[in-house]
Each structure stands twice: as C-alpha cells, then as structure tokens.
Amino acid sequence: MPILEITDVSAGYGAGPDILRGLSLEVEEAKSYCIIGPNGAGKSTLLKVIAGLLHPRSGDVVFRGESLAHRRPDQVLATGVCFVPQDQALFPEMSVRENLIMGAYLVKDRALIKERLARVYEMFPILAERAGQDAGKMSGGQQQMLAMGRALMIDPILLMLDEPTLGLAPQIAQQIFSQVEQLKSMGLTVVIIEQNAQRGLELADWGVVLDLGIVRFEGPSEGILEDPRVRELYLGKAAGSREKK
Amino acid sequence: MTNVIQVAILGLLLGGVYALMAAGLTLAFGVMRIVNLAHAAFIIASAYISFFAFEQLGIDPLLSVVFVMPIMFFFGVAVYQVLFRRIEGSAKFGEMTVLLTFGIAIMVEGLLGFVFTGIYRKAQPGYANESFIVDGLFLPEGDILFIPKGQFYASLLSIVLLVGLWAFLRYSQTGYAIRATTQNRDAAEIVGVNVRRVSAISFGLSTALAGASGALMSYLFPFFPFRHWQWVAVLLALVVLGGMGSMKGAVIGALVLGVASSFVVDQIGPTWGPMTFYLALFLILLVRPQGLFGKEVPA
C-alpha cells in the first residue's frame, strides 16, 4: 500500500510551459527513493508540488488517503510531509536554536518541542555546540545539517531532500549521507534528489529516473545505472546504443 | 556647550517619534516588500481621529493611542486582504505596491480633505506648551535646559511602543513567524508559516504603528491632509538611511537624522530642517545604497 500516490500530475511556473507532464509515481512507507535525471527533468518541481509550494495544473497528489494537490505548504507539512530545498532555506539572522524552533512552528506543545530539540542535538552534536550562532554564519555542511535537523523538529513521516550535498566537499557530503542513512534506519520514508547518482542510488532502496517531466524508468536502485536506458539518458545516445550492441 | 546639549536633546526627542513613524514603514517593507507610500497618509488620518477625540470628547492624545492603534490595525488588515492579496502572485509585486499605495495615499488625502477641509489642525493639551527645566548637574552656573513636556512624553511613549514591538517580535510565536518571513519568505512557508496570514498581521501592525504616530502628531506638529507628502519623504529618508526592512536601522536612522536636523535648524534656520532628510537620502544612495543595516542586493 503506497503512502504517497502521484497521479498524472502536470505542473509549471506562472504562465510558462509544463515542467511536469502527466507524471505518476508511488512511494511506499519506510522505503527510500532516489530521484535522478538530467537538468530540467522536473526533479525539484516534483518535490515542490508534493510540498504544496507549487500547485499542480492537473492530476492529484494523495498522501495517506488525503489529497494534497491544492493545499497550502503549512497544511501539507501538518500531514507529516517535510521538504528540505536545495538552498536549505534557513533564517540567516536567527540563531541555530531559533531555526530549529521554527522547524516546530506547527507544534504547540512546548515540552514536545524541547524533547525534539534534545533529540536533534543528539543526532547533530555540532548544532548543540553552535546553538547560539547565527545560521548565516555557519559553513555549508553545518547549514545542511541544520536544515535536516530543522526538518526533524516536525517529526515527519515523509522527508524530501533536494540535493543535500550540492556544493559540499566530499568529506562533508559523506557525513550528510551517513545522517540520511541514520534517518532511514529510524523508519522514515525518504525521497532524495542527488546529483551524485551513484552515491544517491547506493543509499536508496528504489531509483526513479525522470526526464522531460515524466518518470522514464524506475526500479530497485541496485544496478539501475547499468540499465542501458539510464545510461542513454545520462551519457547520450552513443553510450546507449553501444550498450545495446 | 549648553546650547549644543539643548539642541541634541530636542533632536533625540524628535528622533524617538520619527523612529516610531519609520518602524511601521520598514516593517511593511521587511515582511511583504511593500513600499507603502500611504504610510504617512495613514498617520495623518490617525492624527485626525486623535484630534477630534481630544476636541470633542476631551480624550488626551497620548491616551487615544489605546483605541487608535486597534482601529488602524484592523483597517490595515482589511486593506491588505482587499487590495494587496489580489496582486500577491504578481512577478512585479514590488513595483505594483508602489502604484497601489500611491493611489491609496491620494484617496485618503482626498477623503480627509473632503471631510475635514484643508485647514491646519493641532491639538493643544495642557502639557504641549510646558517644559521641564533642568539646572545644576553638570551645567555651568546660571545655565538651564528646557525639555518640552509634549515631546518628552511622546518620545517616552514611542520608546515603550518600540520596546513592546521588539519584545513581541522576539518572543511571541507570531513574532517568530514575522521575523522568519522577513528573512526568508520561502523558508517560512516550508516550516509551516501561513505567510499570507502573517503578511496581513504585519501590515496591520504597520498601520497600528502609523496610528500611534498619528496620535502623537496630533499635538506635536500642525497637520492638514496634503501634509502627508512631506512626511512620507522624510520617512523614506529614515528607512533608506537605516536600510529598507531593518527595524534597528530605522530607529538609528531616525535618531541620527532627528539630531542632525535639529542642529541644522539651530545653526542655519528652520527652512533647512527638512533638507537634512533629503540630503541624507541622496548621500546614502550615493555612498551605500543598501543603507546602514540593509543587505546589498546583487546586481
């Protein structure tokens, strides 16, 4: 039984053309998904549609039986769907602690917020060390950890990460991957867009290949990059046909 | 020396009131990117409410803040919901708010002129023409300082309201949401802030501050409907100096220009007082366009 069902979704920005063109996808509970695809495939747009930041022009997004298609982002978040965008979207002039508290903006129980704050600090000790520092003054890796920690403050059911290692040094990126592994082991459903397709697919249970706004191919992540259709998309027609021969 | 202290005190007292006026303008810009050219018209409208409350009902202008602020808050929320919500999704939202608020300012001015005519008004509570007299202390023998009671009370009330606003923004949940929306609107949406609701509340707060400023204006400065154009130029100079959207910048800008204009008036003459603000506006735009505490916008 899928936790999230995306059915025939078309979406775009303003009066521009459709970026997603009748995309359909199912996401199972407690599994992890890596979405890959060339630039302009619609990967980030898909996550924005699920998060309620962009409303679909047609089609539906159903999470645990509830349609999210025309809900506001705060209403989507309240259902347990949390999104960490590419630029982390932090509050640069707020302290690390204030950023984390903002992550629990929809939570009214102060004791629960305190409890979650302690849990996030335990998971990301650097955030506890820098609790009073302005988020804007942290390094890229620390900001990414803060963005992930902030997402955990709402105790999400489905966590969507858009290129969490973009622009990070390999060593720092490895730390982020380890944290994502930890989130998976906690039973969270994770959808990740990753520029390092190899590493992203190693991390995920299921791989989804997007191109021109539709799902071109999906399957178990092991060996997905060896598939000639995926190689063709990534390396061009020549590579694809060589593979076929 | 005594004269310098006297002028500085008068400048600081006025600066405190300017800070309250500018705080509302900068709040609207910081949260919603609205350049509210109607802010001063709202201040003048509020000044009329306080003036007539004093003239007809004998309510002290300082006390009238208690009802003028809520009236203006709900007025601001209504204006936001009816007018600004319609253009929220526009790619040229910033530019459209300039045109929209320009139109609102003309409408408010026309309405006030029609109802109250163009004659000068100024409430005259007892303390408006009285002063505290300070002597001794560090002053040379025989020298005294005058602290006008009206300006002193107005400045005190401004400080109380600004500290209240600061505490509200710093510690309340709505305050967190307003600060978050000011710093990163998209991020605020992502963490579950209903930015439309927060924008409406912020605009209401902005007009409530205009309301409080109007109550003070009713007895500090003579006013008539057309006067708001002069005031909006002054207020824009204050917030541009401080950095558009920066509350701290608006307060510091107001205090600095309050004192500067006070010295210009004393040394050169009252006609040159308003020129201080326009000159500061030109200079800051030439030297540091983002203002003292504003962020540089990439080209």
Side-chain angles (χ1 to χ4, degrees), chain A residues 69-131:
Chain A
H70 294 282
R71 294 204 182 180
R72 292 191 313 260
D74 57 306
Q75 293 170 325
V76 173
L77 187 66
T79 65
V81 176
C82 192
F83 173 50
V84 179
Q86 219 173 77
D87 64 354
Q88 294 117 26
L90 298 172
F91 305 112
E93 288 158 38
M94 283 188 180
S95 68
V96 167
R97 188 174 176 279
E98 285 178 316
N99 265 274
L100 291 172
I101 289 173
M102 275 309 295
Y105 180 74
L106 297 179
V107 181
K108 303 296 169 206
D109 184 345
R110 280 173 185 263
L112 195 59
I113 294 173
K114 216 171 160 184
E115 191 185 301
R116 288 183 187 169
L117 198 59
R119 201 176 62 185
V120 170
Y121 282 156
E122 195 183 328
M123 195 172 170
F124 303 97
I126 188 75
L127 300 183
E129 284 170 30
R130 305 281 168 95

Side-chain angles (χ1 to χ4, degrees), chain A residues 14-236:
Chain A
D18 283 351
I19 306 293
L20 301 182
R21 300 181 306 147
L23 183 145
S24 296
L25 182 68
E26 289 185 349
V27 172
E28 304 261 342
E29 186 159 14
K31 275 193 167 182
S32 52
Y33 293 73
C34 178
I35 301 177
I36 59 172
N39 279 341
K43 305 184 292 291
S44 298
T45 305
L46 171 62
L47 298 197
K48 283 179 188 167
V49 167
I50 300 170
L53 294 164
L54 183 68
H55 289 159
R57 290 170 179 164
S58 64
D60 204 0
V61 177
V62 176
F63 182 69
R64 290 179 138 191
E66 287 180 63
S67 174
L68 304 181
H70 294 282
R71 294 204 182 180
R72 292 191 313 260
D74 57 306
Q75 293 170 325
V76 173
L77 187 66
T79 65
V81 176
C82 192
F83 173 50
V84 179
Q86 219 173 77
D87 64 354
Q88 294 117 26
L90 298 172
F91 305 112
E93 288 158 38
M94 283 188 180
S95 68
V96 167
R97 188 174 176 279
E98 285 178 316
N99 265 274
L100 291 172
I101 289 173
M102 275 309 295
Y105 180 74
L106 297 179
V107 181
K108 303 296 169 206
D109 184 345
R110 280 173 185 263
L112 195 59
I113 294 173
K114 216 171 160 184
E115 191 185 301
R116 288 183 187 169
L117 198 59
R119 201 176 62 185
V120 170
Y121 282 156
E122 195 183 328
M123 195 172 170
F124 303 97
I126 188 75
L127 300 183
E129 284 170 30
R130 305 281 168 95
Q133 188 179 333
D134 278 359
K137 291 178 181 156
M138 297 174 86
S139 71
Q142 289 166 354
Q143 287 192 354
Q144 189 57 52
M145 286 180 201
L146 176 56
M148 284 167 63
R150 191 181 66 185
L152 295 180
M153 290 295 291
I154 197 75
D155 201 15
I157 299 163
L158 168 65
L159 179 64
M160 302 186 291
L161 304 167
D162 190 354
E163 304 214 22
T165 64
L166 186 72
L168 299 182
Q171 203 182 351
I172 308 294
Q174 189 48 47
Q175 279 181 31
I176 300 292
F177 285 129
S178 304
Q179 303 292 357
V180 177
E181 290 277 9
Q182 202 178 336
L183 297 178
K184 272 177 61 187
S185 66
M186 287 160 60
L188 219 65
T189 309
V190 178
V191 176
I192 185 170
I193 295 176
E194 182 50 49
Q195 31 138 20
N196 181 347
Q198 183 80 45
R199 190 65 187 88
L201 288 166
E202 277 171 23
L203 190 82
D205 302 315
W206 198 259
V208 180
V209 182
L210 248 61
D211 186 37
L212 297 173
I214 54 165
V215 174
R216 285 285 291 269
F217 180 73
E218 62 176 307
S221 56
E222 291 164 15
I224 202 169
L225 280 179
E226 299 310 314
D227 189 290
R229 290 169 294 181
V230 178
R231 287 178 65 82
E232 189 177 310
L233 263 178
Y234 268 91
L235 304 172

Side-chain angles (χ1 to χ4, degrees), chain B residues 216-236:
Chain B
L216 302 182
M217 177 185 273
S218 71
Y219 77 89
L220 285 177
F221 310 102
F223 61 93
F224 63 102
F226 190 70
R227 201 62 183 266
H228 70 100
W229 293 120
Q230 184 189 328
W231 275 105
V232 83
V234 167
L235 298 183
L236 281 173

Side-chain angles (χ1 to χ4, degrees), chain B residues 231-248:
Chain B
W231 275 105
V232 83
V234 167
L235 298 183
L236 281 173
L238 299 179
V239 297
V240 170
L241 176 67
M244 294 286 281
S246 164
M247 195 66 73
K248 182 169 70 176

